[in-house]
Structure formats: C-alpha cells, structure tokens
Amino acid sequence: MKKTVAILAALTVSFLAAAQTIPVNPKFGKVSDAEIDLTVYEPDTAAVAVMLYREYTMELIISNVTGDISKEITVHERIKVLKEEGKKFGDYSFLYVSDNRMKEAYSGIKVETYNRENGKVVRTVMSKKFDFDEVYAEDVRRRSFSAENVKVGSVIEVSYKFSSPRYFAIDDIDIQLSIPVNQTHIEVGHAEYFTINRTQRGSIPTTYQKKERMANLSGAVSYQVDTDVFDAVDVPALPNESHSYCPDQYRAAVSYDMSGLIIPGAVYESISMKWPDVDKAIKESDIFNVCKGRFRDAKELEAALAGVEGDEARIVAVRNYVVGKVKWDKESNLVPDEAREILRRGSGSDVDINALTASALNSVGYTAEPVMVRRRTSGMLIDYHISLRSFDTFILRVTAPDGQSWFLDAARDEGYLNVLNPLFLVEKARVIPFDGSGEWVDLRNLTRSRVSEIVTMRMEADGTLVGTAQIVAKDEDSYAVKSHYNDFDSEDAYLEDIESDENIQITEFDIQKDYGPSVEIKYSFERENEAGGLEYIRPVLSGFHSTSAFRKEERELPVDFPYPESLTYSFRLDIPDGYAVEELPERTVKNFPTIGGRIEFIAQQVGNTVSVVYRVNLDQMRVLPDHYADLRLFWETAV
C-alpha cells in the first residue's frame, strides 16, 4: 500500500511540474534558449521578473561523529529579469551569527548570469570582488553578493548553502514571493527524534508527499529521517505595495515549530517554550543586567535634577542627561552592551541608550522596565511562535511612585513620553517587570495625534499673493514632522522642498522642535501672480494626501497607516478692492464608517474675507482588503 501511495504522489508531482508555464531543467546551469529569450511572462505581463525555478531544502543533521545537531539549508534559484526594476533580484544580502558559541556560515556560493549577445548565449560567472563578508554588529556578520552583467533579459542563477547550530530556529519557508514563481520545490527533513508541528499559510495549491529513509547514529543506532516535500507551479506574485509594513506575513509559506527532542537513552530536551520562559531568558540577559544595574554617575545626575519639579519633567531631564553623555549611532539592536563600555564609547545603539536611561531612572526613584517590541516591519507577533526571536528591540515603561506610567524610547529625539516611532505602535508588546511575570500591553493608542495648519493670504496690487502659515503638530504627528525635517541635510534643503511643493517663495521661517510632544512651524511666503481678470486661488497650499496612492481598483494586502490621522486646515483670503467672488468650492461632508473616516470641506464668504475649513479624520491604522473600495473613495475625496 505504501508503494502505491508513493507512486501516486510521484505521478502527481510529475503532472504538476508538467503544468508549469515555462518548462525548466532544474539542474544548475541547464538554462534553455526559451528561458533566455523570454520577454513576457504571460500569466503576469506586468511582472518585472519571474522566479523560473526555486529549490529550497533544509535538513536537521545529527553528526555521526559528535552527535551535535545542526541545520543545513541549500537554496537554488533561477530568475528571469523582464524589466529594469527586476535587476535588483540579482543582489543578495544575509545577516548571520558569528561568535565563539554559535558560528553560522554561508558556503558554496555560485552565481552565474546568462545573456544573449550577438545571437550567442554568454555566461558570466560572478567574480570574488562581488562577494562580501563583513562585520555588521557585535557577533553578527553580513554576507552579500551580486550577479554580474545583469540587464533586462538576463537569466540569473544562484545557489548557496547555509549551516547553523541554531537548529531550533526555523524560519518560515516561502511558497509565494513578490514576483511570480514558475516552479518551486521544497524539502524539509528531520530525524524522527524531533517533535515538530507544521502549518501552511495561504491558499496557493501545492502537492505534498512524505519521504522516509533510514540513517545511523555513531554506527550503532538506526533512526528514521522524515522528509516533507512540497511542489507548486504558476504561483502568482503578491507584490510589495505602498502602505504595507510587512507584505511577507501575508504570502503563502510553510511554518515549522519545534517543541522537543528525544533520543532514547541519550538525550531529552524540551524546546517548547511558554512566554514565562522567554521572560526568564530576558531577565538572565544583559537587557536586565544593564537596566537594573547601578548607574555609575548617580551623583552627577542628582545635581542635574536639582530644581526640576514634576514627574514628566524629571523623567525627561534624566533622558536628556543620558543622551548628552551617549549619542545614538543609528543602530538598532536587541541586547545592550555593558554600561561601562557604553559610557566609555560615548555612543551606542538604541537599546544601549534605553538600558542606560533605565538604570539612571531607577537610581532616582522611578521604575523603568524593558518593554519588548516586534516592529511592524517584522510582521505581527504570533502567539504560538514563542521565542526571544519574536522581538526586535525594546523600549521602556517608566512608572512614577504614584503608579502613573509612560512609555519611552530614549534614543530617538523625535519622540517623547508616549510618543514612539510608528513602527513600535503594535497591538502586543511585552513588559518584563523586575518582579513577577511579563504582561502584554497595547501601544497603539497611547496618544491622540493631531495636526492643525492656519494659512492667511492677501493679494497685492501687482497680483502677488502674500501670506503666512502656522503649523502645530502634536504627539505622533509631531514625530512625523520632526522626522521629515531631519531627513534633509540642511534647513535650506527643507525649505526648497516646501517651496517646490507649494509653488511659493518663503521669506521668513521658524521651527520650534525641541524634545517634547509637539512641534510648531511658522513661515511667511509669496506667490507670483498676474493681477487683472479672473483669478483662481487654490485654498490648500500643499497636498496632504498623495495623488498617486491607491489608484489600483483592487488590492490583496491590508493597508497600514502609521497612526490614526486627525487634520484641521484653516484658510483665510482677504479679497482686494475691485474683486468679487465668482465661485466657491462646494460644501462637502462625508462619513466613511467602515474605516472610521470623516471629511469636511466648508468654504464661505463674510464681507471681504473668504474662509475655508478642511477637516480629515481616519481612525483606523489598518484597513482590510474588504474595505479597500471605501478607503479609495475616502482618499479620492480627500485629494
């Protein structure tokens, strides 16, 4: 019976492979003329590239000599570049661990590019100068390499091997990619001693079969190796889209979760973790050591706090004291260095600064505890994938003696108490208290963000429009405004961007962006205009909503917004003598209940003044595809 099942499974796989759009020979280097001459992938004519073939094999290896366990992954990919944007798929980059306890490695890297030139097929083998292995951070290296001679029409073929002693950490295995996949073949093998749960995400049709073989341990013990085999053809792309923090989490994939290892008479290891196990691991790590450790400059800090009253002011003063000592190096990690080393360098990662700030706050009467965060760009935290690897970084929860608490990311100057990087505004972050078990907290609604803008304008005798603008952004909106300002190399460059966007010339400018929950911008401006005849005045200086967003009629991915939006824009125009109002914009008031949206646009004339009030509210941070049509209508109305 088993033989019959195996034969039927093999026949199914053969039939599936035959059904692919582009027949391929899966052997490395066996690239056909049809693959090289392909110009359009018919199932997806908009595709910038197509994965002609992808083979992913992973096996958990038990050494026959030492008994050590490792994870070995081999990847073979063949990619056809169809458009200029597809050339980026010839670039590869990986981070891996390299320390004395746990050395990972990439090896066997082969990269070849095939092009038709003057009627002949030219094969280009990647030279070593395009292969880099460099230090990325402490105990972390980066391996990157790029195919040579890549152009539109190229076929790129890549293979490599990755080995790691971290056999228990199994990443999701992709079936679906951002580009279409012509054919994919996946094999995952492990000894019968492992207790592993498998789940498959997405609705992509795949065939599955299970293979079995026998192996020996130290030449004495025989055991069975089980291998899961998945095949799929003509897998449609789920491309990256704007307003999506982590498209990967929605693509079809296979997930493995390991709960234990039992080798009879030799090894028993429970790998299954519960969140209290993660809490315990964090409490035993340098995260806790630095956060709870004695602050070395306690006397100097106390002097800096002299005369500062109120909990918020004192917490901010402590934060400012620490960042005055240690500058953020723009790196983001999970585990901080030792406090002595951080202070000696005078610079550090975001968690170095947060841990040192926690130590300082704890020394002056506050309780500052780490809050473990998984960034929105890493996907939603999944409860059943329990691991320290579920988190990317940490911030702080600071509690005053009276019990009031705030959340703080001390490293980023754009933030404040309860004003965080939008990537940290997640539904589930985990507070690790000094005493007791960890607890989940929701960071999405710490503040109510809002921005207001007031513009006044008048027309001079020569037709020139002269005006002023005042913008006040609070909470998360202040974070966004400060971040945008800091993206420019200079204030002049920032002003040039405003002038270009609003078609004005700025004559005076001032910005108040101190460390705090708000930012205020004021500027005076002029806009050239010819006097006489019919004048068209655009009441909204800048476009708050991009005209290029959400043009697609349908969307497969949810839409992510950084935070709920609340905008109030006020405009006043003084009408010059000799002019009369010919036409005002129509009053618009629309509600969009499925997405928590509302738009008001009201224009009116009182005497020689025209005023416009424009209000936009969007309460939801995520809009599902079922409500995408409502979002499009909301957006078009706003534009």
Side-chain angles (χ1 to χ4, degrees):
M1 186 64 182
K2 281 188 176 179
K3 289 183 178 178
T4 303
V5 172
I7 291 170
L8 287 174
L11 288 173
T12 303
V13 172
S14 298
F15 176 78
L16 185 65
Q20 64 192 310
T21 297
I22 306 168
V24 297
N25 186 332
K27 291 185 178 180
F28 192 95
K30 296 296 183 179
V31 180
S32 67
D33 286 343
E35 294 169 79
I36 294 173
D37 294 333
L38 180 72
T39 57
V40 176
Y41 182 64
E42 291 300 336
D44 185 353
T45 56
V48 300
V50 58
M51 182 68 68
L52 295 168
Y53 181 73
R54 185 172 194 264
E55 183 175 313
Y56 182 103
T57 63
M58 182 184 76
E59 186 165 351
L60 305 181
I61 306 293
I62 303 177
S63 171
N64 196 34
V65 178
T66 64
D68 292 338
I69 304 171
S70 63
K71 173 180 62 181
E72 292 192 0
I73 297 172
T74 302
V75 177
H76 171 204
E77 296 182 338
R78 187 182 298 166
I79 302 165
K80 175 69 180 186
V81 178
L82 297 171
K83 298 181 180 180
E84 191 70 24
E85 308 96 285
K87 291 164 63 175
K88 65 184 179 183
F89 290 98
D91 300 326
Y92 287 71
S93 182
F94 309 99
L95 298 179
Y96 67 98
V97 177
S98 180
D99 60 23
N100 293 329
R101 296 173 294 111
M102 198 166 287
K103 284 190 177 293
E104 299 178 329
Y106 282 88
S107 62
I109 296 172
K110 292 170 60 179
V111 183
E112 297 181 357
T113 308
Y114 295 82
N115 290 293
R116 188 171 298 280
E117 299 177 3
N118 299 321
K120 295 183 178 180
V121 175
V122 176
R123 180 175 70 109
T124 304
V125 179
M126 183 190 72
S127 61
K128 290 184 179 180
K129 67 180 181 180
F130 287 89
D131 184 0
F132 304 93
D133 194 355
E134 56 195 350
V135 174
Y136 179 79
E138 185 175 6
D139 298 333
V140 179
R141 298 185 67 85
R142 175 167 54 194
R143 188 69 181 264
S144 56
F145 50 88
S146 299
E148 291 187 58
N149 197 25
V150 175
K151 59 187 75 173
V152 175
S154 298
V155 173
I156 304 165
E157 191 151 38
V158 175
S159 69
Y160 58 88
K161 180 180 287 187
F162 173 67
S163 58
S164 170
R166 301 168 70 241
Y167 64 90
F168 46 82
I170 305 177
D171 294 326
D172 290 353
I173 303 169
D174 295 325
I175 297 173
Q176 190 174 32
L177 304 174
S178 63
I179 56 175
V181 179
N182 179 63
Q183 181 181 353
T184 188
H185 178 77
I186 298 169
E187 294 193 13
V188 179
H190 58 85
E192 60 181 307
Y193 303 136
F194 294 97
T195 304
I196 296 180
N197 300 314
R198 182 188 74 244
T199 56
Q200 192 166 337
R201 181 180 72 223
S203 58
I204 299 300
T206 60
T207 63
Y208 169 79
Q209 63 171 320
K210 183 177 180 179
K211 298 194 299 186
E212 301 171 352
R213 63 179 173 85
M214 299 304 295
N216 290 305
L217 182 60
S218 301
V221 179
S222 295
Y223 61 91
Q224 181 172 296
V225 176
D226 298 324
T227 301
D228 297 326
V229 181
F230 302 87
D231 283 277
V233 299
D234 293 342
V235 179
L238 189 58
N240 299 333
E241 296 196 76
S242 67
H243 295 81
S244 181
Y245 281 116
C246 185
D248 279 348
Q249 66 186 324
Y250 304 109
R251 295 182 179 124
V254 180
S255 300
Y256 284 85
D257 186 43
M258 187 180 301
S259 59
L261 171 63
I262 303 174
I263 301 178
V267 174
Y268 170 77
E269 184 175 357
S270 175
I271 304 172
S272 178
M273 296 185 74
K274 296 181 173 56
W275 288 113
D277 299 322
V278 175
D279 299 343
K280 183 174 181 292
I282 293 170
K283 289 183 178 184
E284 294 173 351
S285 74
D286 284 341
I287 294 174
F288 243 51
N289 292 340
V290 182
C291 288
K292 286 192 71 174
R294 181 181 65 86
F295 189 65
R296 302 179 63 84
D297 298 335
K299 289 184 179 180
E300 187 177 334
L301 175 60
E302 287 284 2
L305 290 176
V308 180
E309 300 293 337
D311 288 324
E312 284 197 36
R314 288 177 65 82
I315 292 168
V316 169
V318 171
R319 178 265 173 192
N320 290 342
Y321 174 85
V322 172
V323 299
K325 292 279 188 180
V326 180
K327 301 300 181 185
W328 183 31
D329 60 11
K330 304 304 179 182
E331 296 291 338
S332 184
N333 293 329
L334 179 63
V335 180
D337 291 334
E338 292 182 358
R340 184 195 302 272
E341 176 62 19
I342 299 169
L343 287 168
R344 183 194 65 79
R345 286 198 312 259
S347 65
S349 69
D350 53 359
V351 297
D352 289 336
I353 294 172
N354 278 327
L356 205 60
T357 302
S359 172
L361 286 165
N362 289 321
S363 72
V364 293
Y366 295 94
T367 303
E369 300 160 314
V371 182
M372 310 306 296
V373 176
R374 180 182 181 86
R375 295 184 191 88
R376 294 165 72 182
T377 47
S378 297
M380 291 178 287
L381 189 146
I382 301 174
D383 271 345
Y384 58 81
H385 282 174
I386 302 173
S387 167
L388 184 57
R389 297 171 66 244
S390 299
F391 304 109
D392 301 312
T393 188
F394 71 86
I395 59 173
L396 303 176
R397 182 176 70 180
V398 184
T399 305
D402 65 1
Q404 185 176 1
S405 294
W406 299 266
F407 292 90
L408 171 66
D409 172 20
R412 291 165 174 82
D413 289 332
E414 296 89 347
Y416 191 67
L417 304 183
N418 286 345
V419 180
L420 305 174
N421 184 330
L423 297 182
F424 298 165
L425 302 182
V426 295
E427 182 179 5
K428 298 186 74 172
R430 192 162 182 85
V431 178
I432 312 298
F434 293 147
D435 299 309
S437 301
E439 59 181 290
W440 295 109
V441 291
D442 189 338
L443 301 179
R444 294 175 298 175
N445 297 299
L446 299 178
T447 61
R448 178 62 184 177
S449 304
R450 53 206 181 279
V451 61
S452 63
E453 182 170 351
I454 299 173
V455 174
T456 61
M457 190 183 294
R458 71 178 188 276
M459 182 183 289
E460 302 287 87
D462 63 356
T464 301
L465 295 172
V466 178
T468 62
Q470 179 182 10
I471 303 164
V472 178
K474 297 184 177 181
D475 299 324
E476 287 299 325
D477 272 307
S478 76
Y479 192 105
V481 171
K482 292 175 187 176
S483 295
H484 180 63
Y485 180 89
N486 292 336
D487 283 341
F488 291 89
D489 294 333
S490 66
E491 187 170 283
D492 286 344
Y494 177 75
L495 298 184
E496 287 174 7
D497 183 70
I498 295 177
E499 291 176 332
S500 174
D501 182 43
E502 301 180 1
N503 189 28
I504 60 175
Q505 181 178 355
I506 294 176
T507 55
E508 293 183 34
F509 177 83
D510 180 65
I511 182 170
Q512 300 295 324
K513 60 179 186 67
D514 296 335
Y515 186 74
S518 64
V519 60
E520 183 174 0
I521 296 174
K522 295 179 181 179
Y523 57 90
S524 301
F525 63 88
E526 294 180 355
R527 177 187 288 172
E528 292 184 0
N529 203 44
E530 293 184 4
L534 189 62
E535 301 294 339
Y536 292 92
I537 307 296
R538 184 170 182 246
V540 181
L541 280 185
S542 59
F544 294 106
H545 298 83
S546 168
T547 58
S548 61
F550 311 128
R551 285 187 170 180
K552 290 175 59 178
E553 293 188 2
E554 296 181 355
R555 181 175 169 123
E556 296 182 67
L557 296 179
V559 176
D560 292 325
F561 292 104
Y563 46 83
E565 176 184 13
S566 180
L567 163 70
T568 300
Y569 177 88
S570 300
F571 172 86
R572 191 188 76 188
L573 173 67
D574 293 330
I575 304 170
D577 293 336
Y579 283 84
V581 175
E582 183 79 18
E583 183 180 5
L584 290 177
E586 293 183 5
R587 175 189 174 99
T588 300
V589 178
K590 290 187 177 182
N591 292 303
F592 303 83
T594 60
I595 61 171
R598 178 177 172 84
I599 294 175
E600 296 180 49
F601 192 95
I602 301 169
Q604 59 184 350
Q605 178 183 0
V606 178
N608 287 333
T609 300
V610 170
S611 64
V612 170
V613 176
Y614 174 44
R615 295 187 182 93
V616 181
N617 288 281
L618 182 62
D619 291 337
Q620 292 190 13
M621 293 173 62
R622 171 168 291 166
V623 177
L624 299 178
D626 289 349
H627 296 146
Y628 176 65
D630 297 332
L631 175 63
R632 285 193 75 212
L633 182 57
F634 168 87
W635 203 264
E636 288 171 2
T637 304
V639 169

